Amino acid sequence: MTKIKLCGLFRPCDIEAANGLMPEYIGFVFASKSPRYIYPQKAAELRLILKREIKAVGVFVGERAENIADLLNAGVIDIAQLHGGESEEYIKSLRYLTDKPIIKAFRIDGPDDVRQAEKCSADYVLLDSGNGGTGTAFEWELIKNIKRPYFLAGGLDAENVGKAVNMLKPYAVDVSSGIETNGLKDGIKMADFVAAVRKEDEI
């Protein structure tokens, strides 16, 4: 079954909607330049109302490893998602500070990017277009033969995610702007996205 990550949640109503839909993951964005940025204290408060069966992923760009490890070890988040230019050495240093899982995001522009993702030592890789949160898809043909589980991101919504699941069979799909209206999470779009993924899984 394809797992689902609803990313960029920052309001109690977002969490309540997710609790009703039961995706495997939700995402808190800790990148200060993002319009979906959430303060760690606010994320901790929202985590208290998130169902325990749903894993919370923290999204970071160029953050100090110590700060990420603190949030992981405190239980505010379960998984770290690295969306900057973090190196293998950085991943190693983060593993020294915590035993929690790591997702490394890669911008897919060509075959070299796919090869880099395949070699990465992170627990999972996330394949995206641009620098994340762009709302645009990349050329899916590039990743048809990738040899490791991955999160698929970039321009997904309820209209195209079924095709993506059918064509690529990703480990998980990740959506943010595709479930928003005027920059805020839309409960109907969230439900439609989850339904589209689950429907494809049943086929």
Side-chain angles (χ1 to χ4, degrees):
M1 187 175 76
T2 308
K3 300 184 185 302
I4 298 170
K5 176 166 166 269
L6 304 177
C7 199
L9 310 190
F10 58 84
R11 301 176 299 168
C13 60
D14 300 338
I15 300 299
E16 290 162 6
N19 284 341
L21 296 169
M22 291 301 292
E24 285 74 18
Y25 306 94
I26 62 96
F28 293 132
V29 178
F30 295 105
S32 60
K33 293 183 179 179
S34 170
R36 305 174 186 93
Y37 173 73
I38 187 170
Y39 288 99
Q41 179 57 41
K42 182 66 174 178
E45 293 170 7
L46 293 182
R47 177 59 194 263
L48 293 176
I49 62 174
L50 179 70
K51 286 188 176 179
R52 299 307 299 181
E53 299 95 324
I54 303 173
K55 300 295 186 185
V57 179
V59 180
F60 302 92
V61 178
E63 185 60 76
R64 292 177 65 243
E66 291 80 4
N67 293 343
I68 297 175
D70 285 346
L71 289 170
L72 287 164
N73 294 334
V76 175
I77 54 174
D78 302 293
I79 303 168
Q81 180 177 315
L82 308 178
H83 243 289
E86 296 88 0
S87 64
E88 283 293 311
E89 194 62 33
Y90 181 99
I91 294 173
K92 183 178 178 181
S93 68
L94 183 55
R95 288 199 188 283
Y96 179 77
L97 299 169
T98 182
D99 61 355
K100 304 296 184 181
I102 299 170
I103 303 168
K104 178 70 180 84
F106 287 85
R107 171 178 173 167
I108 303 299
D109 289 324
D112 286 346
D113 302 312
V114 178
R115 284 191 283 270
Q116 286 293 108
E118 286 183 321
K119 293 189 295 183
C120 180
S121 66
D123 299 278
Y124 299 99
V125 293
L126 181 144
L127 310 180
D128 203 347
S129 59
N131 292 317
T134 61
T136 58
F138 61 91
E139 190 178 338
W140 292 342
E141 285 288 334
L142 289 168
I143 61 171
K144 284 193 75 171
N145 297 314
I146 193 168
K147 298 177 178 64
R148 67 177 297 176
Y150 61 90
F151 286 71
L152 177 67
L156 296 177
D157 57 29
E159 299 299 316
N160 65 10
V161 72
K163 177 182 177 182
V165 169
N166 179 270
M167 174 180 170
L168 299 170
K169 304 292 189 293
Y171 167 77
V173 288
D174 185 322
V175 64
S176 187
S177 61
I179 49 172
E180 291 179 350
T181 298
N182 297 325
L184 296 174
K185 291 297 180 282
D186 182 317
I188 294 174
K189 289 183 179 180
M190 293 169 74
D192 287 348
F193 184 89
V194 171
V197 177
R198 299 294 183 235
K199 179 181 177 182
E200 194 60 41
D201 279 334
E202 291 171 1
I203 295 174

